[in-house]
Amino acid sequence: MTDWKPLVYGTLMILLALFGLLMLYNYLIPSDAKADELFDEFGNKISSFFQDQDSLRDKTKEYFEDSFVPMYNSCLDSEETNCWCTKEKLNIPNGFFVEVVQSNQKTTFNFLDEGKGNFKDFTFVSESCVIVDQTNFLLEGIKRNKVVIESGRTSYISFELDDFENILTTKLEYKNEVDLESLFYKVDDGKICILDKINSELFKDSPLCNQNT
């Protein structure tokens, strides 16, 4: 008589292993990720899991306090418009996020770790906007008055519009690719926009704003 128990147990073990891999895959890879983004997303999550979080936070604090903040302030103080505030890559570690929030005439940049915990913020007296799909949205017209910049090999800006804004647009939620080297564009006195990658290409020949840093 044939003993089927080893075969049954072996099959169960294989099925359990496959189930475990599937659960790990679902955790590491977002369901809405495109096929060509899966490797990047997987790598970002594995990398951020093993890296020292305090070290990553220190790196981001140092860069933004010493470089981005004075550069952004100088751009606001400049008398020039239709120009770039920065044209160098933002040093946001992969898997980290920046929330840009508008409250009255103040714009706050909140730097978040992978778990969306806030570890640093900077506030500027300015009016902010976002330009995607050739449309200019003031942050005060965006749901919760905020956009999120996500850093990675492929970086994104995402935000959601209030219902009434959808009358004039084709979609309510945006997740557009951005170029971290061409992101902040001064369109008017005291008004700086965040551009998606397609729009940044349209303005690629614009000069840097006159900065005194």
Side-chain angles (χ1 to χ4, degrees):
M1 183 175 179
T2 304
D3 185 2
W4 296 98
K5 287 183 179 180
L7 179 62
V8 172
Y9 290 152
T11 302
L12 286 175
M13 291 299 295
I14 292 172
L15 290 174
L16 284 173
L18 290 173
F19 179 76
L21 289 173
L22 179 62
M23 294 298 293
L24 182 63
Y25 176 88
N26 287 333
Y27 169 75
L28 291 173
I29 305 299
S31 60
D32 62 345
K34 297 178 183 177
D36 59 352
E37 299 164 11
L38 296 183
F39 180 79
D40 291 342
E41 295 289 344
F42 183 86
N44 288 344
K45 287 182 178 292
I46 289 295
S47 176
S48 62
F49 179 81
F50 286 103
Q51 290 185 78
D52 177 66
Q53 296 295 299
D54 289 336
S55 175
L56 290 173
R57 294 179 185 185
D58 290 343
K59 183 180 178 182
T60 304
K61 287 179 184 180
E62 178 182 356
Y63 177 85
F64 279 97
E65 286 178 330
D66 295 343
S67 181
F68 177 77
V69 172
M71 192 174 293
Y72 197 90
N73 272 324
S74 181
C75 186
L76 284 171
D77 293 339
S78 171
E79 296 180 356
E80 297 183 37
T81 59
N82 297 312
C83 53
W84 291 104
C85 288
T86 63
K87 267 200 172 181
E88 51 186 60
K89 190 172 182 179
L90 297 182
N91 195 10
I92 308 171
N94 286 355
F96 276 52
F97 304 83
V98 176
E99 281 184 349
V100 186
V101 183
Q102 182 78 47
S103 178
N104 298 320
Q105 294 299 311
K106 292 184 178 180
T107 300
T108 300
F109 287 75
N110 298 315
F111 300 94
L112 313 174
D113 61 21
E114 187 186 26
K116 295 297 183 72
N118 190 323
F119 61 87
K120 193 66 179 178
D121 59 76
F122 301 100
T123 298
F124 305 90
V125 179
S126 66
E127 184 177 47
S128 293
C129 54
V130 57
I131 301 178
V132 295
D133 299 343
Q134 281 75 57
T135 304
N136 186 329
F137 299 102
L138 286 176
L139 261 61
E140 290 185 340
I142 293 174
K143 197 167 186 177
R144 293 183 294 275
N145 301 338
K146 73 177 182 180
V147 301
V148 176
I149 302 169
E150 177 184 349
S151 176
R153 260 177 74 178
T154 302
S155 300
Y156 297 96
I157 180 174
S158 56
F159 63 93
E160 184 178 356
L161 297 176
D162 285 320
D163 290 338
F164 72 90
E165 290 282 355
N166 201 37
I167 297 172
L168 303 175
T169 62
T170 58
K171 56 185 177 180
L172 194 63
E173 296 183 6
Y174 285 80
K175 184 177 181 181
N176 290 24
E177 186 178 349
V178 294
D179 181 356
L180 295 182
E181 294 183 358
S182 304
L183 193 58
F184 298 101
Y185 192 80
K186 187 174 182 181
V187 298
D188 206 346
D189 186 28
K191 182 178 176 182
I192 295 174
C193 285
I194 304 165
L195 274 60
D196 65 2
K197 188 171 183 177
I198 292 176
N199 279 281
S200 69
E201 283 292 316
L202 298 177
F203 298 104
K204 64 181 180 181
D205 294 327
S206 297
L208 278 168
C209 301
N210 182 30
Q211 297 180 26
N212 298 316
T213 56

